[in-house]
Amino acid sequence: ITNTHINKGQFEWIKIYIGYGVGGLSTIVTPDHLIYTKRGWVEAKNLTTDDEVLIYSYKLSKDERQIIIGTLLGDGYLDRQSVKPMLRMGQSIRQKDWLMQKIKMLNFLSSKYIIGNEVEKTICDNKRPSIIHAITSYSKRMLELEEFSKFYRGRKKVITRKFLDELDLLGLSVWFMDDGSFWKDKRWDAWTVSLHTEGFSDDDVLKIVDYFREKWKLNAHISHKSEGHIYLRFYGDDARWLLDNLYI
């Protein structure tokens, strides 16, 4: 776009509905607006319910799907308040570089990001409240994100084996970058990798354990924090495999 012109005259408008239900779309145009159909260009006022019109559709790439699935398993949230969902990604300001990398990889979907105010949050009842400075990214609202609503039952995030089985090393890496950590125990000169699963039910955590064993031949050990949260730990050769193969 190199220039714009605002016509302040009075116009008649036509609202066009395309499709029905959750996947339905609508647009508002002037009666003489040309719409491309199977019978060629047709003015909006001459459209009929038998016409099939050309609409824009975006197909997520394999890598985009991996990043979205890994993010929803991790710190991401799917806003489903509209027929077109929106992906929200949030991190502490210390992890800004990681969030910006995901925004870059999801370039087509990314709409904006906001550096939020400092928020006081109690991490654990027996600790002092921590001050968290967060950054949040919001994607465009897209029908193509609707299938990921299967990550939720009501407002609760749930594990779906279909999405777990779709994960490759990229998606797995995104998940661990969001919710994982690793350290070396100097006493044993061995690595430990941890994956935080506090947001999932006990049954869903067991599904994750089965997934790692069946698909990646890795043994995930369930651990419990003092406040009742569950996380997974990988030791020895399993931890070493993750560190050698994930993109972290």
Side-chain angles (χ1 to χ4, degrees), residues 63-248:
D63 284 354
E64 287 170 337
R65 290 186 62 83
Q66 290 297 316
I67 295 164
I68 292 169
I69 294 172
T71 294
L72 288 173
L73 286 167
D75 292 330
Y77 172 76
L78 194 69
D79 183 324
R80 297 161 292 142
Q81 297 183 41
S82 165
V83 294
K84 295 182 180 181
M86 173 179 66
L87 179 65
R88 189 177 72 196
M89 303 184 291
Q91 301 286 348
S92 72
I93 198 67
R94 291 181 300 174
Q95 295 176 298
K96 178 181 176 181
D97 289 345
W98 167 233
L99 180 60
M100 298 306 293
Q101 180 62 33
K102 284 204 289 186
I103 291 172
K104 182 179 179 181
M105 291 188 290
L106 292 174
N107 180 57
F108 180 83
L109 286 87
S110 297
S111 177
K112 61 182 178 180
Y113 67 90
I114 298 172
I115 299 178
N117 297 323
E118 291 184 348
V119 177
E120 187 176 275
K121 181 178 180 182
T122 303
I123 303 300
C124 180
D125 291 341
N126 60 357
K127 294 182 180 179
R128 292 182 179 179
S130 296
I131 302 299
I132 296 182
H133 196 182
I135 179 171
T136 305
S137 166
Y138 301 88
S139 78
K140 300 173 183 176
R141 289 196 175 275
M142 300 177 65
L143 283 173
E144 289 77 10
L145 296 175
E146 199 277 331
E147 67 165 300
F148 300 107
S149 296
K150 295 174 184 176
F151 264 104
Y152 295 88
R153 187 175 296 122
R155 300 188 66 179
K156 175 73 173 176
K157 193 180 285 188
V158 297
I159 287 295
T160 302
R161 186 60 190 252
K162 170 186 177 295
F163 289 126
L164 285 179
D165 288 336
E166 189 176 339
L167 282 177
D168 62 16
L169 284 175
L170 173 58
L172 203 59
S173 299
V174 171
W175 188 7
F176 272 84
M177 285 292 289
D178 266 18
D179 277 344
S181 59
F182 60 91
W183 65 92
K184 191 171 187 179
D185 191 324
K186 295 181 179 179
R187 295 172 300 174
W188 317 109
D189 192 32
W191 288 96
T192 297
V193 175
S194 179
L195 181 64
H196 295 263
T197 54
E198 288 93 337
F200 298 111
S201 69
D202 291 358
D203 287 342
D204 279 344
V205 172
L206 290 175
K207 291 179 185 177
I208 297 171
V209 171
D210 290 341
Y211 160 75
F212 277 109
R213 184 182 65 251
E214 293 167 8
K215 181 169 182 178
W216 302 102
K217 312 302 181 188
L218 298 174
N219 293 311
H221 301 266
I222 298 176
S223 297
H224 296 263
K225 290 185 176 180
S226 59
E227 60 268 33
H229 293 161
I230 301 175
Y231 59 101
L232 303 179
R233 280 187 173 174
F234 302 84
Y235 302 105
D237 292 340
D238 295 327
R240 186 72 265 173
W241 186 92
L242 288 167
L243 293 173
D244 287 342
N245 289 277
L246 296 182
Y247 311 138
I248 57 178

